[in-house]
Amino acid sequence: MCGIVGYIGNREAYPILIKGLQRLEYRGYDSAGVAMIDKNGSLNVFKKKGKVAELVAFAKENNTSGNIGVGHTRWATHGEPNDVNSHPHYSQSKNLVMIHNGIIENYAAIKENLIKRGHNFLSQTDTEVLVHLIEEIQLHEKCKLSVAVQTALNQIIGAYAIVVLDKNDPNVLVAAKKGSPMVIGIGEDDFFIASDASPIIEYTKNVVYLEDEQVASLRRGEQLKIRNLKDKEITPFIQELTLELESIEKGGYDHFMLKEIYEQPRSVLDSMRGRLNASTGEIKLGGVEDHRKKFEKAKRIIFVACGTSWHACLVGEYLFEEMGRIPVEVEYASEFRYRNPVIYEDDIVIAISQSGETADTLAAIELAKSKGALVLGICNVVGSTIARATHGGSYTHAGPEIGVASTKAFTAQITVLTLMALELAKVRGTLAESRFRQLLYEVEAIPTKIEEVLKLNDKIKEIAYQYKDSTNALYLGRGVSFPVALEGALKLKEISYIHAEGYPAAEMKHGPIALIDDEMPVFVIATKGANYEKVVSNIQEVKARKGKIIAVVTAGDKDVKKVADYAIEIPETDELLVPLVAVVPWQLLSYHIAVMRGCNVDQPRNLAKSVTVE
Ligand code: M6R
């Protein structure tokens, strides 16, 4: 959460910072701010509640010149979103400014001590406390800024990615991180710094991912210098970015979310590329292959994740139990980490995260590692904190997901889970060869089936129009489609602010049925399979109470179509793989409803793409 960006070199910093902030806005958009030092040595700070566009309007006509600067887009933790709490924050003398992503947990005690020593604080933030502390050390110890940063961070408990700018030394940016991501771009004669590579990609492909407890000095005309908090010099490991600029732009779509929904035939294909060959019956997934022995012997799989990734885990539970015949538990990372869970050394813990940065998921991983379990990750962002914290795993390769509502990451996660479950079944000998082969072909056909569903967009838009003014909605599914009901409800509530609940269809009569009246849309997955007849009965129960039924059905269905208000026909798919296809109508429906209600689809209120605080 929070996006940070910095620049030092020969170009004008401000346009680079603003463009970078726009790219990072998915990380938080409560407020934004920039600071630049101009050629006369003036430190100019502009910060404003609201989006980056509001900052740009505010700073217009002002002196934004300078070729060193920092920028920040905020997701509020300490202190409400207002101009004063926006970053950058000043030190006591106003010679230093700092931007910060993370939470300083012991800020209150430090603040109290600083107040006793005469410091005045303008904001309610933890960030302001840290920059005051850094300056106090700098002045007291008469040391370089980087040393003051090291000393201060040795007193800090919490997570941070910070960049500090010093009016008295306009030739250096000092950056450090722990628990929050930070990447440094190395240009020909300049440096870039950001929370992720998106603000950097158009200037350089050479990057260094800063590790925890490292402090970097980006000095004009010098090589990048990194030391850790114990003052050991670290040789920077320069990597080449594979990210392409087009992948982080809207490419003609009105919103990133719509673009990402439409990218799914491709992203699902990318997530299986080189890993599956139905005609030869081969499947090869590094994450499982590298730990084959552990998978052979494992007594249990524990999935940990949050939000949409947690829904993917629930799908994983069905897949792993059905194909690999292994007991599975699915845990909210935020609960797991504080529950003193029973974890055995022969457990395999699989953490799923699009961003690879979610704080609760990361903490759950550390807990599982401390108990001796093998921990694997399924992440989308290459080189992310979770990808590096796990013992191994598989990337989803879905490409950057920028819309706050997760769409293509979900289908890519399920694709990887399907491949993992198939490989597990192979290793453990739990699937007949014929069924194994049949499933490989079925998986290969998924991208084409998603393409077919996308052709239904106009019809789904028409349905959206009918239900855009609803105040409540119910989503139902059974078996492997139950997690899709949860995901459908999450998509609707997070971007359109309509209250929605996902339920296993048969649970409806144990409570939610009381909500049903002639205004209530009930979105049901009623595809052909073992539970079909049961779901048809659940639909009849809704209709008997005058509820509206919008059903996703298998192409050619007759029974549900007779009773449903709307039926969305999707191509016939193996029952285990239905979530990959059936979730797409729910994604499109939420998207259109949110647009029709005038909501900010890509940046829904109160949310951020990466939840790096607990
Ligand atoms: O990056 P992660 O997959 O770890 O994120 C987990 C959740 O924060 C995320 O899925 C969230 O629920 C999305 N906004 C859902 O659309």
Side-chain angles (χ1 to χ4, degrees):
M1 299 180 131
C2 298
I4 61 180
V5 61
Y7 174 76
I8 177 166
N10 300 321
R11 313 177 207 218
E12 274 303 297
Y14 181 71
I16 295 172
L17 299 176
I18 292 297
K19 204 170 195 186
L21 291 183
Q22 280 158 344
R23 296 237 170 95
L24 292 174
E25 215 169 10
Y26 74 89
R27 301 178 63 86
Y29 32 81
D30 291 339
S31 59
V34 286
M36 288 78 42
I37 302 176
D38 72 10
K39 61 178 186 318
N40 302 317
S42 300
L43 172 61
N44 297 309
V45 176
F46 303 99
K47 46 191 204 170
K48 197 81 197 123
K49 179 180 172 190
K51 303 247 158 85
V52 177
E54 282 154 76
L55 169 70
V56 172
F58 174 66
K60 210 170 154 195
E61 318 285 339
N62 283 288
N63 176 13
T64 54
S65 67
N67 42 33
I68 177 169
V70 293
H72 187 268
T73 175
R74 180 170 187 244
W75 188 87
T77 56
H78 293 71
E80 63 170 290
N82 60 26
D83 294 352
V84 176
N85 287 331
S86 310
H87 299 214
H89 286 283
Y90 283 110
S91 61
Q92 176 75 14
S93 71
K94 293 203 161 46
N95 284 332
L96 302 186
V97 288
M98 191 176 95
I99 51 172
H100 169 219
N101 167 27
I103 292 184
I104 310 296
E105 289 171 19
N106 57 339
Y107 84 102
I110 298 171
K111 186 172 184 176
E112 212 179 293
N113 283 330
L114 288 168
I115 289 172
K116 281 188 197 144
R117 297 201 288 274
H119 286 250
N120 295 315
F121 291 95
L122 306 173
S123 76
Q124 298 152 302
T125 65
D126 49 345
T127 307
E128 194 185 7
V129 175
L130 179 55
V131 69
H132 275 239
L133 178 65
I134 291 169
E135 183 177 65
E136 194 181 71
I137 294 167
Q138 190 192 28
L139 296 176
H140 190 258
E141 306 287 321
K142 298 193 175 35
C143 60
K144 285 199 300 190
L145 177 61
S146 58
V147 175
V149 167
Q150 272 174 315
T151 312
L153 293 179
N154 274 313
Q155 300 175 29
I156 290 302
I157 301 169
Y160 53 81
I162 58 167
V163 187
V164 194
L165 184 61
D166 185 351
K167 189 179 167 186
N168 293 326
D169 187 0
N171 292 310
V172 71
L173 287 177
V174 175
K177 75 144 252 170
K178 182 181 175 191
S180 300
M182 181 167 270
V183 53
I184 297 170
I186 303 177
E188 285 201 355
D189 47 12
D190 46 8
F191 291 111
F192 306 81
I193 192 153
S195 299
D196 71 31
S198 61
I200 296 177
I201 182 70
E202 64 198 88
Y203 308 105
T204 177
K205 290 218 159 192
N206 296 327
V207 297
V208 173
Y209 287 92
L210 212 61
E211 297 287 339
D212 279 355
E213 304 201 333
Q214 291 184 349
V215 178
S217 298
L218 288 63
R219 185 170 284 281
R220 211 188 293 279
E222 290 186 8
Q223 302 277 313
L224 173 66
K225 292 207 175 64
I226 303 178
R227 303 188 86 85
N228 67 14
L229 290 192
K230 296 195 175 103
D231 204 33
K232 183 171 175 277
E233 188 169 351
I234 312 285
T235 310
F237 172 54
I238 302 175
Q239 304 183 41
E240 195 170 328
L241 279 178
T242 49
L243 186 71
E244 294 301 331
L245 191 57
E246 308 83 73
S247 65
I248 53 170
E249 294 185 330
K250 278 192 203 145
Y253 286 89
D254 287 344
H255 297 95
F256 280 111
M257 183 182 178
L258 190 62
K259 176 184 177 231
E260 287 155 9
I261 292 172
Y262 271 86
E263 277 173 351
Q264 289 177 108
R266 177 60 189 254
S267 53
V268 166
L269 188 64
D270 285 345
S271 64
M272 61 174 91
R273 199 182 293 282
R275 293 169 163 173
L276 160 98
N277 186 334
S279 52
T280 58
E282 278 171 311
I283 191 154
K284 204 170 169 49
L285 206 64
V288 181
E289 194 82 359
D290 302 343
H291 302 281
R292 199 186 167 90
K293 288 233 143 43
K294 279 263 184 187
F295 270 98
E296 268 169 25
K297 297 210 175 88
K299 300 254 166 12
R300 183 173 66 151
I301 305 273
I302 303 173
F303 283 110
V304 290
C306 304
T308 288
S309 298
W310 185 79
H311 296 156
C313 293
L314 289 176
V315 176
E317 179 177 24
Y318 286 90
L319 300 175
F320 276 53
E321 291 196 342
E322 181 66 31
M323 297 187 206
R325 305 308 302 148
I326 188 165
V328 172
E329 283 172 30
V330 178
E331 300 272 0
Y332 281 116
S334 53
E335 290 297 314
F336 182 77
R337 64 180 289 193
Y338 286 120
R339 218 194 46 225
N340 192 16
V342 178
I343 306 170
Y344 301 108
E345 286 189 3
D346 55 4
D347 282 337
I348 297 178
V349 174
I350 301 180
I352 304 189
S353 174
Q354 185 287 129
S355 61
E357 272 186 51
T358 303
D360 285 322
T361 309
L362 189 58
I365 289 167
E366 295 304 342
L367 175 68
K369 275 167 52 181
S370 73
K371 306 266 180 188
L374 171 71
V375 185
L376 302 179
I378 299 179
C379 293
N380 193 36
V381 178
V382 176
S384 57
T385 311
I386 290 177
R388 285 179 289 136
T390 42
H391 295 120
S394 303
Y395 284 115
T396 47
H397 297 305
E401 190 183 67
I402 293 168
V404 165
S406 194
T407 51
K408 65 173 179 173
F410 179 68
T411 44
Q413 287 164 348
I414 297 176
T415 307
V416 170
L417 284 166
T418 308
L419 302 188
M420 270 192 172
L422 282 163
E423 179 134 10
L424 181 69
K426 200 169 83 181
V427 167
R428 294 167 68 95
T430 46
L431 265 188
E433 180 64 18
S434 54
R435 175 73 176 131
F436 178 78
R437 285 282 185 130
Q438 180 202 9
L439 279 165
L440 294 193
Y441 279 110
E442 289 281 349
V443 176
E444 267 192 355
I446 292 294
T448 315
K449 292 183 182 177
I450 295 178
E451 249 161 43
E452 290 302 308
V453 178
L454 291 170
K455 289 182 189 154
L456 304 174
N457 182 49
D458 287 347
K459 176 170 187 173
I460 294 169
K461 198 167 171 181
E462 193 189 309
I463 300 172
Y465 186 76
Q466 291 304 318
Y467 298 105
K468 68 178 180 4
D469 298 320
S470 304
T471 45
N472 291 293
L474 199 57
Y475 283 76
L476 303 177
R478 288 193 85 149
V480 75
S481 292
F482 159 54
V484 183
L486 294 176
E487 178 60 8
L490 176 61
K491 285 291 88 79
L492 188 69
K493 62 190 149 197
E494 72 179 326
I495 60 168
S496 74
Y497 319 138
I498 294 174
H499 172 241
E501 299 278 350
Y503 260 89
E507 272 295 303
M508 181 187 61
K509 54 188 167 300
H510 298 284
I513 199 164
L515 295 169
I516 292 171
D517 59 20
D518 58 0
E519 306 248 299
M520 177 78 148
V522 181
F523 300 99
V524 195
I525 295 179
T527 47
K528 285 280 161 55
N531 291 320
Y532 177 73
E533 308 296 343
K534 311 266 179 220
V535 177
V536 174
S537 303
N538 299 140
I539 288 173
Q540 295 290 5
E541 288 157 12
V542 172
K543 286 311 290 178
R545 285 151 187 93
K546 298 195 165 46
K548 306 288 180 226
I549 287 286
I550 305 92
V552 167
V553 298
T554 308
D557 177 280
K558 292 204 173 56
D559 301 346
V560 176
K561 276 172 88 178
K562 273 188 222 146
V563 284
D565 296 80
Y566 288 95
I568 302 166
E569 292 187 61
I570 63 169
E572 187 166 3
T573 308
D574 189 279
E575 203 178 345
L576 283 175
L577 307 181
V578 162
L580 285 164
V581 186
V583 73
V584 179
W586 292 168
Q587 294 169 342
L588 283 169
L589 187 90
S590 309
Y591 170 78
H592 290 302
I593 289 181
V595 171
M596 287 169 192
R597 289 166 70 95
C599 299
N600 187 336
V601 173
D602 284 335
Q603 295 173 348
R605 70 183 178 207
N606 304 337
L607 289 174
K609 184 72 181 160
S610 317
V611 185
T612 56
V613 294
E614 48 171 307

